[in-house]
Amino acid sequence: MKNNIHISRDIDDIFPLFQERNVIMVADEYFRSHDSSLDAIDCPRLWICADEGKKTLDTVAELIDSMLEYGADRDTLVLAAGGGITTDIAGFTASIYKRGVALGSVPTTLLAQVDASIGGKNGVNVNRFKNMVGVIRQPEFVFINPDFNRTLPVREYRCGIAEMLKMFCISDREAFFGLLQHKDDVGEELIRRAIDVKMDIVEQDEMEHGMRRILNLGHTFGHAIEKCSRDYLHGEAVSVGMVLAGQVSVSLGAMPYEELSLLRESLRSAGLPTGTDIGFEELREAILQDKKSMGSLIDFALPLKIGDVRLRRLSMEQLEDGYNLL
């Protein structure tokens, strides 16, 4: 799977990946107005609004109608160009159209480059619950051009930093602090290092039967925060979720308080939020509806320290104790 991920600043390097293919591009409106680097690709373009509120089955149905109008067949390659919402929608659509057609992704945000577009997860939201309908199906290729990140709004860029810090918090302490030193200009080496952390785990547990769930660090609380409030972008909610996961760990005696303080201050130094005013009772229902829940128990990615995260099955009461720790 790693071999399908290509990092290059030369946009011409993408063309050999789909020469002599029937291609339909699904791209987001932001990319349309801010970048013309893929204009040379001669194919139909289907433009979507990259918003969590539009990441729905209705949008998928609209894309399928358009693909039918363009005569897309089983040999068609869907080329997703945009951020994580776009690659999720396009990937899910490709996986179900005529029982599945090929997908290629050109992630244009840092978050999508290091997380959303790789690993094969694609899905859409239902009633604002994150990714309630989806599949795990690997793309034929992912083409990453780090230069896209130079046009990102500051908040979007920091969301990518949040996901990279999450990845390094799982298993690469050195890279975690190295990223903080280069957070304003992330280069190819750190992007590749973050991808390697994720893909090393995915290649051992592609269908998420066990250890892949460790990649959900910060997401149990993060997805619930997104469900309950429109004030947070995904990476921002994950940042808060990582701190709350650290609080849970401290409350269980698994993480030293000093390590939690270091995690919180590190995220703050990257310009990321580390707390929320949303009460636990408001988050409870969203957490129980999360894909990681097993009845009243939650498969939880529990940080022991920066660079060491373990899976634990916890009760809602244990999460609440951690949430109320501070």
Side-chain angles (χ1 to χ4, degrees):
M1 285 182 273
K2 279 187 189 179
N3 293 335
N4 293 339
I5 300 172
H6 310 267
I7 302 178
S8 174
R9 296 180 185 273
D10 186 349
I11 202 68
D12 289 344
D13 287 346
I14 193 175
F15 292 99
L17 300 175
F18 55 80
Q19 282 180 332
E20 300 181 3
R21 299 286 295 275
N22 179 27
V23 176
I24 290 181
M25 186 186 298
V26 177
D28 64 54
E29 293 285 356
Y30 180 86
F31 180 71
R32 180 184 196 177
S33 59
H34 287 78
D35 201 290
S36 60
S37 57
L38 296 182
D39 285 354
I41 298 176
D42 183 19
C43 70
R45 285 163 166 73
L46 307 180
W47 301 103
I48 63 174
C49 176
D51 178 86
E52 287 288 349
K54 296 291 186 180
K55 188 179 168 184
T56 65
L57 290 169
D58 287 339
T59 299
V60 172
E62 291 170 6
L63 286 175
I64 289 173
D65 285 342
S66 297
M67 291 171 66
L68 288 169
E69 290 177 9
Y70 279 111
D73 57 23
R74 291 292 301 277
D75 293 326
T76 296
L77 181 138
V78 173
L79 183 65
I85 293 174
T86 301
T87 59
D88 259 9
I89 294 171
F92 180 65
T93 303
S95 72
I96 64 173
Y97 182 78
K98 296 192 175 181
R99 298 195 176 95
V101 297
L103 171 73
S105 287
V106 184
T108 61
T109 67
L110 182 59
L111 188 151
Q113 290 169 2
V114 299
D115 187 41
S117 72
I118 62 174
K121 280 188 177 181
N122 303 292
V124 296
N125 306 333
V126 176
N127 295 331
R128 292 192 65 201
F129 288 107
K130 293 275 290 186
N131 302 323
M132 279 294 109
V133 178
V135 298
I136 297 176
R137 189 166 181 268
Q138 299 301 327
E140 191 169 294
F141 65 84
V142 179
F143 182 84
I144 295 170
N145 183 348
D147 287 343
F148 286 137
N149 299 325
R150 296 177 178 175
T151 67
L152 293 177
V154 172
R155 285 183 70 192
E156 291 283 358
Y157 179 79
R158 287 176 178 169
C159 282
I161 296 296
E163 284 288 359
M164 293 182 74
L165 289 171
K166 179 210 76 174
M167 223 76 73
F168 296 143
C169 190
I170 290 171
S171 68
D172 196 335
R173 187 181 180 94
E174 179 186 32
F176 182 94
F177 293 106
L179 174 59
L180 292 175
Q181 294 177 354
H182 300 282
K183 62 182 182 296
D184 296 325
D185 186 20
V186 176
E188 293 181 33
E189 180 181 350
L190 281 168
I191 290 174
R192 171 60 72 181
R193 201 158 168 175
I195 290 171
D196 284 347
V197 169
K198 178 168 185 175
M199 294 309 295
D200 284 346
I201 294 170
V202 171
E203 288 178 348
Q204 296 176 65
D205 180 26
E206 181 181 5
M207 303 309 292
E208 201 174 30
H209 296 304
M211 71 174 298
R212 180 169 179 167
R213 296 173 187 172
I214 208 167
L215 293 170
N216 291 319
L217 174 64
H219 284 65
T220 296
F221 284 111
H223 280 172
I225 289 168
E226 288 184 89
K227 171 67 168 63
C228 296
S229 173
R230 296 185 183 275
D231 294 337
Y232 298 84
L233 298 178
H234 177 68
E236 294 169 341
V238 168
S239 175
V240 176
M242 281 193 281
V243 174
L244 292 174
Q247 290 182 198
V248 172
S249 190
V250 170
S251 72
L252 293 172
M255 172 187 266
Y257 181 81
E258 294 75 16
E259 192 74 2
L260 170 61
S261 297
L262 180 60
L263 174 62
R264 183 189 296 110
E265 291 308 312
S266 296
L267 293 167
R268 284 178 179 166
S269 73
L272 292 161
T274 57
T276 178
D277 293 330
I278 304 171
F280 186 82
E281 286 305 315
E282 192 174 352
L283 298 176
R284 182 189 297 271
E285 179 185 355
I287 292 174
L288 286 172
Q289 292 293 331
D290 192 272
K291 302 178 297 302
K292 296 172 284 295
S293 67
M294 310 289 289
S296 61
L297 299 177
I298 307 292
D299 280 341
F300 195 79
L302 189 76
L304 307 188
K305 63 180 181 179
I306 295 171
D308 187 2
V309 175
R310 307 292 174 87
L311 281 175
R312 289 276 298 274
R313 187 159 288 182
L314 302 180
S315 68
M316 192 63 65
E317 289 72 25
Q318 288 171 311
L319 297 191
E320 185 172 9
D321 288 344
Y323 185 90
N324 293 323
L325 179 68
L326 300 179

